Amino acid sequence: KVHAFQCACPSGFEGSSCEINIDDCALAGPNACESYERCLDGVNNFTCACPIGYGGDRCSVEINECDANPCKNGANCTDGPGNYTCTCHLTVIDITSLIGPKGKFYSGYGGQNCDEDINECEVYTDPPICQSNGLCVNHDGGFQCFCPSSVGGSSFSFGALCESSIEYCDRREHQCRNGATCLNTLVGSECKCAPGYKGELCQIDIDECL
Ligand SMILES: [Ca+2]
Ligand SMILES: [Ca+2]
């Protein structure tokens, strides 16, 4: 009888000299990973080369790309297959009731990750975001309108967008007293006092006895 020998192979190998690295992917079958083609044979095990967006030992886990918090400044994140979508949180300023359908403005951050400042002063030109020829100054995450002191001579503008205007004479602090008449002027207003009164607001009762 020929002297036969048999090696006790370490696990993962076979063959008369244990020279064969067992194909663990073939053992696991066509669904070893997401597919057999993505299976990488190892020694007594296999690993999976997952397609983008999938993970886990068998690539069966759909990665939630939103877990890394890619969306900034209060934006909502929507997970997708291998990607994500940010919905930016924008401040809506609506003055359509004053200037019509073009009077809806969006302020805040834009871009794919909602981390890029929107330059509201440049984005909005027709009409500009600041009404009444107000000066627009952009800043990170917002903007500011500096309202002109005079609109059309006798009124001034106010509001976040300088969207409102009011006659100087309607300003509460400039209300004339004691039956005086308010006159709008180019730089503000003045009070035309009734007889017997004086002062900026005609608040002083003239003492005729002096
Ligand atoms: Ca995903
Ligand atoms: Ca801005």
Side-chain angles (χ1 to χ4, degrees), residues 118-146:
I118 295 172
N119 187 334
E120 295 84 354
C121 302
E122 289 185 353
V123 168
Y124 296 108
T125 55
D126 180 30
I129 195 167
C130 296
Q131 309 298 301
S132 310
N133 291 318
L135 175 68
C136 186
V137 175
N138 181 56
H139 63 77
D140 193 39
F143 68 100
Q144 191 172 1
C145 294
F146 292 91

Side-chain angles (χ1 to χ4, degrees), residues 108-184:
Y109 295 92
Q112 189 187 348
N113 292 339
C114 306
D115 58 353
E116 299 168 13
D117 173 54
I118 295 172
N119 187 334
E120 295 84 354
C121 302
E122 289 185 353
V123 168
Y124 296 108
T125 55
D126 180 30
I129 195 167
C130 296
Q131 309 298 301
S132 310
N133 291 318
L135 175 68
C136 186
V137 175
N138 181 56
H139 63 77
D140 193 39
F143 68 100
Q144 191 172 1
C145 294
F146 292 91
C147 304
S149 57
S150 169
V151 179
S154 63
S155 61
F156 71 100
S157 61
F158 65 98
L161 303 185
C162 308
E163 75 278 15
S164 299
S165 65
I166 192 170
E167 297 267 302
Y168 282 110
C169 281
D170 293 334
R171 288 172 79 174
R172 188 175 294 274
E173 64 268 31
H174 273 255
Q175 281 181 341
C176 303
R177 316 264 166 81
N178 297 312
T181 307
C182 182
L183 299 174
N184 287 305

Side-chain angles (χ1 to χ4, degrees), residues 6-24:
Q6 187 171 12
C7 296
C9 296
S11 59
F13 291 91
E14 65 183 4
S16 57
S17 302
C18 302
E19 75 281 13
I20 300 169
N21 180 355
I22 297 170
D23 185 349
D24 296 282

